[in-house]
Amino acid sequence: MSDLYNNLLPETLCIADLGCSSGANTFLVVSELIKTVEKERRKHGFHSSDFHFLFNDLPSNDFNTIFQSLGEFEHNLRKQTGEKFAPCFFSGVPGSFYTRLFPSNSLHFIHSSYSLHWLSQVPDLIEKNKGNIYMSSTSPPSVIKAYYKQYGKDFTNFLKYRSEELMKGGKMVLTFLGRENEDPSSKECCYIWELLSMALNELVVEGLIEEEKLDAFNIPQYTPSPAEVKYIVEKENSFTINRLEATRIHWNASNDHINGGYNVSRCMRAVAEPLLVSQFGPKLMDLVFQKYEKIVSYCMAKEKPEFINVTVSLTKKK
């Protein structure tokens, strides 16, 4: 961000946060970007640049919560920095980031965190993914192929549209769930969903969920390897990769060993429940996640499962 600001010195720095959600973390990136730019400005004696932050998420996102929190955010930022900072302007942009969202050549910087592993839709499957809700070692090869095909299409579209919206020399930093293993059905990226599948299959055995309904349900997500990211970026050819890395984080990042299973289950419920409700209805959700918590707790007692984060920094080609 520092080199982007120093090279362009724009009157207004336009920054988009894609998949912004509406929780406490929404303003973390905003805060860090403002601090970084203000530090560079003071260091070199530059004139202030205004900030224009554009928050994007699906139309169902709670944008009202974001805007109601603006006053508190600006107050806390002044408290932290102890100084005045340039005027900040905020906009909400509802829509899928797999479509065009912003005017051509209008953005300097794009950030996205923990959103791009979600696909635009469930892949078109020519075979049932029987007993599974995601890719697994027991999924037919055609299921794995369909997931990768959908990911390739979505990520290519994402890069294409962002290249149209970014100014020349504009940058993106993207972080999403991924994997290090080149096998897309490997345990390191699919295990968390396999355990949820186990809970749902228990309800099938108990006669509470129809087997056909479970077999027709699949999670619209793909967790790519760095090699897959590199291949698609280079093939689409709008961006140069500055940095590409994978890092590991334990499922129970809070190190709460007593409530680890509960914490993971609660986080996954926030993510998965809307999808599950659309297929199975709301009545069984408490039971599903009670079973899931027990399964997760048992597995975490035996091993130390980890998520893989993939982060890529990109610059639009001139």
Side-chain angles (χ1 to χ4, degrees):
M1 188 65 190
S2 298
D3 58 339
L4 172 69
Y5 172 68
N6 291 335
N7 290 336
L8 299 178
L9 296 177
E11 287 188 21
T12 301
L13 197 56
C14 295
I15 299 166
D17 187 6
L18 307 185
C20 63
S21 191
S22 58
N25 292 337
T26 300
F27 289 107
L28 281 178
V29 172
V30 173
S31 175
E32 290 306 309
L33 289 172
I34 290 174
K35 289 176 187 176
T36 298
V37 170
E38 286 297 300
K39 182 180 178 182
E40 288 298 308
R41 182 188 66 77
R42 290 193 298 270
K43 178 180 174 183
H44 298 287
F46 296 143
H47 291 294
S48 294
S49 293
D50 293 348
F51 294 96
H52 187 190
F53 291 99
L54 300 116
F55 295 116
N56 157 259
D57 213 316
L58 295 173
S60 56
N61 187 55
D62 186 4
F63 286 96
N64 284 337
T65 295
I66 296 174
F67 295 123
Q68 287 167 3
S69 304
L70 284 176
E72 182 183 358
F73 160 71
E74 291 184 325
H75 173 76
N76 290 338
L77 187 60
R78 287 191 184 92
K79 209 171 176 182
Q80 290 172 28
T81 60
E83 299 182 30
K84 286 179 67 177
F85 48 86
C88 296
F89 303 92
F90 300 90
S91 303
V93 184
S96 168
F97 48 55
Y98 294 122
T99 64
R100 272 293 298 268
L101 293 167
F102 310 103
S104 298
N105 303 308
S106 63
L107 301 176
H108 297 100
F109 185 78
I110 292 173
H111 169 267
S112 181
S113 185
Y114 294 108
S115 296
L116 268 171
H117 48 269
W118 291 107
L119 301 172
S120 64
Q121 63 175 61
V122 175
D124 294 323
L125 305 182
I126 59 174
E127 290 181 80
K128 282 186 178 180
N129 193 17
K130 194 167 179 59
N132 301 307
I133 61 171
Y134 188 54
M135 293 180 290
S136 82
S137 57
T138 61
S139 296
S142 67
V143 170
I144 308 298
K145 187 176 179 180
Y147 265 93
Y148 179 72
K149 182 180 178 181
Q150 186 65 49
Y151 169 71
K153 177 184 175 183
D154 284 346
F155 192 42
T156 297
N157 283 338
F158 177 88
L159 295 170
K160 174 179 176 289
Y161 294 134
R162 300 299 82 80
S163 72
E164 294 169 3
E165 296 161 350
L166 277 166
M167 300 177 186
K168 286 183 180 179
K171 294 183 182 294
M172 289 199 295
V173 174
L174 315 171
T175 298
F176 39 85
L177 291 176
R179 65 182 196 277
E180 293 174 327
N181 195 311
E182 289 308 316
D183 176 6
S185 63
S186 66
K187 189 174 178 179
E188 69 179 15
C189 59
C190 302
Y191 195 33
I192 194 85
W193 294 114
E194 286 182 22
L195 301 185
L196 183 55
S197 181
M198 288 170 62
L200 292 167
N201 274 290
E202 285 186 16
L203 294 180
V204 170
V205 172
E206 293 169 14
L208 297 173
I209 287 178
E210 296 174 25
E211 187 175 7
E212 293 76 16
K213 271 195 169 184
L214 179 59
D215 289 343
F217 178 72
N218 289 283
I219 297 292
Q221 179 178 303
Y222 190 86
T223 48
S225 68
E228 288 174 336
V229 173
K230 183 174 185 287
Y231 173 76
I232 293 174
V233 170
E234 291 179 346
K235 184 179 178 184
E236 197 276 333
N237 200 35
S238 295
F239 292 91
T240 299
I241 296 175
N242 307 314
R243 188 170 182 178
L244 175 60
E245 62 184 18
T247 55
R248 291 175 171 265
I249 182 170
H250 191 271
W251 281 10
N252 186 22
S254 65
N255 290 319
D256 182 350
H257 300 295
I258 297 174
N259 299 309
Y262 168 76
N263 292 337
V264 172
S265 174
R266 186 179 63 173
C267 290
M268 285 297 290
R269 182 168 187 169
V271 170
E273 186 168 17
L275 298 170
L276 293 170
V277 167
S278 69
Q279 179 74 354
F280 306 109
K283 290 183 180 179
L284 293 172
M285 290 303 105
D286 286 344
L287 184 56
V288 168
F289 286 97
Q290 285 168 14
K291 288 180 176 291
Y292 185 57
E293 181 185 339
K294 288 180 182 177
I295 294 168
V296 170
S297 296
Y298 176 75
C299 291
M300 290 176 67
K302 295 194 305 176
E303 51 194 310
K304 293 183 178 180
E306 295 174 310
F307 293 116
I308 309 296
N309 291 334
V310 173
T311 300
V312 60
S313 170
L314 303 163
T315 300
K316 179 180 173 180
K317 291 183 176 179
K318 295 182 179 179

